[in-house]
Amino acid sequence: MRPAARAAFAALPLAALAGVLVLLLRFDLPVAGAVGWVPALGIRLAWHIDGLAALMLVMITGVGAAVFVYAGGYLAGHAGQRRLYVLLTLFMAAMIGAVTADDLFVLFLFWEATSVLSFLLVGFEHERAASRRSAQQALLVTGTGGLALLAGLVVVTQVLGTSSIGEIVRRLPSVPLTPALTAGLLLVVVGAFTKSAQFPFHFWLPNAMAAPTPVSAYLHSATMVKLGVYLLARLDAGLEAWVLWQWLLQAAGSITAAWGMVLALRERDLKRILAWSTVATLGTLVALVGLPGEGAAVAVGALLLAHALYKAPLFFVAGNIDHGTGTRVIDHLGRLRHAMPWTAAAALLAGMSMAGLPLSFGYVVKDLVGDAKAADEVLAFAPLANTVFSAIAVAVAGVAAVRVFWRHPGSNETPEAHEAGFAMVLPPLALAVCGIALGLFPVWAQPVVEAVGMAMTPGNEPVLAPLARVLGPELWSFGATFALGATVFVLWDPLHRLVDAFATRLARFGLAAQYERSLGWIPRLAARATRALQHGRSPGYMAVAAATAVLAAGVPLVMPLAADPGAFAWPAWAPPPAGVAAAVLLIAVGALAAVLLRERLPLLLGAGLVGYGSAVLFLFIGAPDVAFTQFAVETVFVIVVAAVLLALKRRGRATSVAEPACRPLAALLSVALASTLTALLLAAAALPFDDTLARWFAAESVPAAQGRNVVNVILVDFRALDTLGEIAVVMLSLLAAVPLLRAAGVHRAGRGAEGHDPQEAVR
């Protein structure tokens, strides 16, 4: 890929970042607007940019700019570099659309776009089986969550009568939580949990580390995995007082935070260690969203920003180590500061923020998180989970910034290590320096964090974000956490063996193991279903179709009767005209003949009576066009099939249908279908006649179609496609009869020709 093309791609997120900054500086938040899209469904292309969306935009474009620069060096000379840039650009656009959308269904479209693009990015190196498996897993897990999310959005929209996110948040506090609304909101939570890798759906994120490092740094640390957190935070202002919301988010988030950090001890691959710490941070964010109060909202905004500023650089560092040494396994790495000084500096600065050392932005954020989880109405498990998260975060930061650069683990040397190029060193340094700068001057982050707090808090009152902390009182808490984290860092290897043995046994019962088993169940289940359904026997197909019709039409009819036996209203009885009665009798006789006869030709003629009886019925109920079409089709059908049966009989190939005299299940299904259709017709006939359409046709016949014969106008103008279909049916019937007419002409000519066999002509 040419340098000019790389520069052009890198300029896209920089331009987007500049646009976001101009928007924030020139306009007061929130900024909203909408244009019409699907008015019949009440869906608009609406956007709403408040403090929460603005922070997400800054991370999407800011980290995106660093990722685009880094990708130019990481994949220099790679044949798929252009493809990666195109996918990253589309992904950035989808993320921008998702966080600015103010309509649930517009958000869902961008949400699913990020899932599909993530699948393509995780499977970027599709020639590797591991990449394909990881991409498949990420798509299946997040895609299944997307289906749950869509179902929840539909239910919430139906209950609240709007798909506008802002309007839904305003209405939720005053709307009673009915079972339908509760189910819809729980489905939304499931969709958000799968996207943000919450327990028990957490297993897919570390496996997605098969993606190239620029993808991991962008999707799995700063943007896509935080989309679920964003949706929960967006709805939090309307659901903050819902106890189930608080408990569910606190419980799932706290378990994810603690368990994710414990599982980080199991890994030896530096990138997977960072991935598990990302899972833990996402759990902490979800738990904070579930905490009531302004302090938790401020902590969410601060942690979102801090995590992007230290985790993306650390992923870059892992990529530089892999690029410079050929491995990411920490057992094979040591004293890399001599060969990779700039990468070591970036790792050290980012590690300071991750560990929460004083004078880093991570120190400010961890203090805010601790204050939020020490407040009232917090589950007892949450503070303990936060302690585990904070301590092991110190250890993970030590592994990424100290162990591989400053310590020598045993006898493993890396003399071939070398520093990465400028394009791979500048992005992690720039982001890590930003994290330190905000720690030295936290007031710089104050406006955006306050705006996040306002977006997540009901009402329009300003939210105080006390980011400028006094070091003294907080150092005691930090000292205890740091000491515990340092102990975990020193004991990393024995703890690794212990956790690995425990987690290996426990993994057999987890959702990840069930997912792997399901991959084997799916083809076996599909094979059995195919053998059961695609058996090649017409009666079986007809039975499935009839049973489906009974369930689809019968269940909605029976449910109101179960609730209120008097809900069914019988239509007024009136004796049918003689023509209608004759048609019904003809249909009944034909149906009985089709059931009782066994020879094919009589059976065909008996079934033909059903068609002729239907034509007579159409004729006497005011549908002569349909009646004439039915007459023509039925006549040609009976003649054509009868001719085929006679020809087969002459050749000795006609046999009777070998069937038992009675099929109880078939008879029962037939009675059920007939009863369902009868009940459906009776229910429809009991409804008052709606003449709106008839009056409209009468009123519009002359002005719209210049015709006074309303029936002709309907057939030729208003329902011309219907008439065209009838004409097409008659034409096809004529074409089907043409071979018979030709055969009859040949037969008559053969009678006068000496030596010609008439039977052969018929054949």
Side-chain angles (χ1 to χ4, degrees):
M1 187 175 178
R2 296 180 179 178
R6 289 200 302 269
F9 275 111
L12 290 174
L14 289 173
L17 176 61
V20 171
L21 295 177
V22 170
L23 175 69
L24 298 180
L25 293 175
R26 294 193 58 183
F27 298 94
D28 294 331
L29 298 179
V31 178
V35 295
W37 188 29
V38 189
L41 299 178
I43 299 176
R44 302 184 302 164
L45 290 174
W47 60 89
H48 180 88
I49 304 175
D50 57 6
L52 181 60
L55 176 59
M56 292 294 295
L57 288 174
V58 170
M59 292 191 301
I60 293 167
T61 55
V63 177
V67 167
F68 275 58
V69 173
Y70 183 85
Y74 187 83
L75 292 176
H78 195 285
Q81 189 180 56
R82 183 186 299 274
R83 174 162 55 92
L84 180 71
Y85 271 125
V86 171
L87 292 175
L88 287 175
T89 302
L90 293 175
F91 178 83
M92 181 178 67
M95 280 297 304
I96 291 174
V99 301
T100 57
D102 192 40
D103 187 278
L104 287 177
F105 297 107
V106 176
L107 182 147
F108 177 76
L109 290 177
F110 288 115
W111 180 290
E112 288 301 286
T114 62
S115 296
V116 174
L117 291 167
S118 173
F119 166 76
L120 297 175
L121 286 165
V122 172
F124 176 75
E125 297 176 343
H126 49 78
E127 66 279 358
R128 296 173 55 236
S131 296
R132 296 195 299 272
R133 286 195 302 269
S134 298
Q136 179 191 57
Q137 186 181 77
L139 182 63
L140 289 178
V141 175
T142 59
T144 302
L147 293 176
L149 175 64
L150 178 60
L153 297 183
V154 171
V155 173
V156 171
T157 300
Q158 291 295 318
V159 173
L160 297 180
T162 179
S163 60
S164 170
I165 298 176
E167 187 62 28
I168 287 173
V169 172
R170 284 189 289 272
R171 293 183 185 182
L172 277 174
S174 60
V175 173
L177 287 172
T178 61
L181 182 57
T182 301
L185 291 172
L186 290 177
L187 288 171
V188 172
V189 170
V190 170
F193 278 9
T194 58
K195 197 74 164 183
S196 291
Q198 297 301 292
F199 183 87
F201 311 107
H202 58 291
F203 58 91
W204 71 266
L205 180 56
N207 293 333
M209 293 303 106
T213 296
V215 175
S216 302
Y218 196 29
L219 276 66
H220 306 133
S221 68
T223 55
M224 189 194 79
V225 292
K226 291 177 179 173
L227 194 53
V229 177
Y230 167 81
L231 179 58
L232 297 175
R234 174 63 67 207
L235 298 175
D236 185 59
L239 295 168
E240 188 181 34
W242 188 24
V243 176
L244 180 59
W245 174 268
Q246 297 178 14
W247 287 7
L248 184 60
L249 267 61
Q250 290 183 45
S254 298
I255 293 173
T256 305
W259 186 235
M261 275 303 188
V262 170
L263 290 179
L265 296 170
R266 184 187 184 189
E267 302 294 341
R268 310 305 285 175
D269 185 310
L270 180 58
K271 200 173 174 184
R272 289 181 62 89
I273 292 172
L274 295 175
W276 279 117
S277 70
T278 297
V279 171
T281 303
L282 294 172
T284 301
L285 285 166
V286 169
L288 288 172
V289 173
L291 294 176
E294 299 175 354
V298 169
V300 169
L303 183 55
L304 279 171
L305 180 58
H307 182 257
L309 292 179
Y310 69 70
K311 189 54 64 68
L314 289 176
F315 271 113
F316 289 148
V317 167
N320 288 358
I321 292 173
D322 190 14
H323 186 272
T325 66
T327 183
R328 297 192 304 261
V329 179
I330 58 176
D331 298 327
H332 303 160
L333 300 170
R335 295 182 180 175
L336 292 178
R337 70 182 186 278
H338 301 295
M340 308 177 69
W342 294 108
T343 301
L348 190 61
L349 294 176
M352 288 176 58
S353 193
M354 181 176 181
L357 294 180
L359 305 181
S360 71
F361 194 51
Y363 176 81
V364 177
V365 172
K366 288 197 175 184
D367 190 35
L368 292 174
V369 173
D371 288 349
K373 291 194 173 184
D376 296 334
E377 302 181 37
V378 178
L379 294 181
F381 180 69
L384 177 60
N386 183 58
T387 301
V388 174
F389 167 76
S390 300
I392 302 183
V394 173
V396 171
V399 169
V402 177
R403 173 169 176 153
V404 299
F405 289 103
W406 299 85
R407 296 182 65 203
H408 187 275
S411 59
N412 298 305
E413 295 280 358
T414 52
E416 71 281 3
H418 60 274
E419 184 62 276
F422 177 78
M424 297 175 63
V425 170
L426 178 62
L429 273 175
L431 293 177
V433 167
C434 288
I436 298 299
L438 291 181
L440 295 173
F441 305 100
V443 69
W444 292 351
Q446 184 112 359
V448 67
V449 174
E450 282 186 346
V452 173
M454 289 184 63
M456 293 179 58
T457 305
N460 297 317
E461 295 296 327
V463 175
L464 178 62
L467 299 187
R469 319 290 286 187
V470 179
L471 288 179
E474 315 296 344
L475 284 177
W476 292 106
S477 174
F478 164 75
T481 302
F482 185 81
L484 184 58
T487 303
V488 174
F489 171 71
V490 172
L491 300 176
W492 184 278
D493 291 330
L495 287 174
H496 160 74
R497 290 188 290 270
L498 179 64
V499 171
D500 186 48
F502 173 73
T504 301
R505 294 185 179 91
L506 193 63
R508 291 178 293 179
F509 308 100
L511 194 58
Q514 301 304 321
Y515 166 82
E516 295 296 337
R517 294 190 186 101
S518 69
L519 294 183
W521 296 339
I522 290 173
R524 291 196 292 269
L525 181 62
R528 291 181 181 179
T530 301
R531 287 193 295 269
L533 297 176
Q534 302 296 327
H535 42 66
R537 296 188 297 273
S538 295
Y541 297 152
M542 295 178 65
V544 171
T548 303
V550 170
L551 293 175
V555 172
L557 286 172
V558 172
M559 289 179 63
L561 291 177
D564 182 11
F568 187 84
W570 288 92
W573 167 256
V580 173
V584 172
L585 180 62
L586 192 61
I587 293 173
V589 171
L592 289 174
V595 171
L596 299 176
L597 295 176
R598 289 294 176 267
E599 292 292 332
R600 287 180 173 176
L601 184 57
L603 189 151
L604 170 67
L605 297 177
L609 291 178
V610 176
Y612 283 116
S614 301
V616 173
L617 181 63
F618 290 139
L619 185 64
F620 282 96
I621 62 175
D625 55 334
V626 181
F628 294 147
T629 303
Q630 181 69 24
F631 273 125
V633 172
E634 199 66 37
T635 300
V636 172
F637 175 77
V638 171
I639 292 175
V640 169
V641 178
V644 172
L645 291 177
L646 289 173
L648 291 174
K649 186 174 183 179
R650 284 194 298 271
R651 297 179 182 182
R653 298 172 59 185
T655 58
S656 60
V657 179
E659 292 183 355
C662 180
R663 288 182 174 178
L665 292 179
L668 181 62
L669 184 58
S670 300
V671 171
L673 179 60
S675 302
T676 301
L677 295 178
T678 302
L680 187 63
L681 291 173
L682 290 175
L687 297 175
F689 180 73
D690 187 359
D691 62 346
T692 303
L693 191 60
R695 288 187 285 105
W696 185 88
F697 280 133
E700 296 295 328
S701 178
V702 175
Q706 290 78 45
R708 297 186 180 278
N709 188 323
V710 179
V711 175
N712 284 345
V713 167
I714 292 174
L715 294 177
V716 177
D717 294 283
F718 294 133
R719 293 177 56 187
L721 289 177
D722 187 16
T723 306
L724 177 62
E726 294 176 354
I727 296 173
V729 170
V730 174
M731 179 60 67
L732 292 174
S733 302
L734 175 62
L735 294 176
V738 166
L740 292 178
L741 296 175
R742 289 180 177 176
V746 172
H747 181 66
R748 287 194 300 271
R751 285 182 176 179
E754 186 177 352
H756 188 77
D757 185 3
Q759 296 298 326
E760 186 64 30
V762 174
R763 294 192 189 96

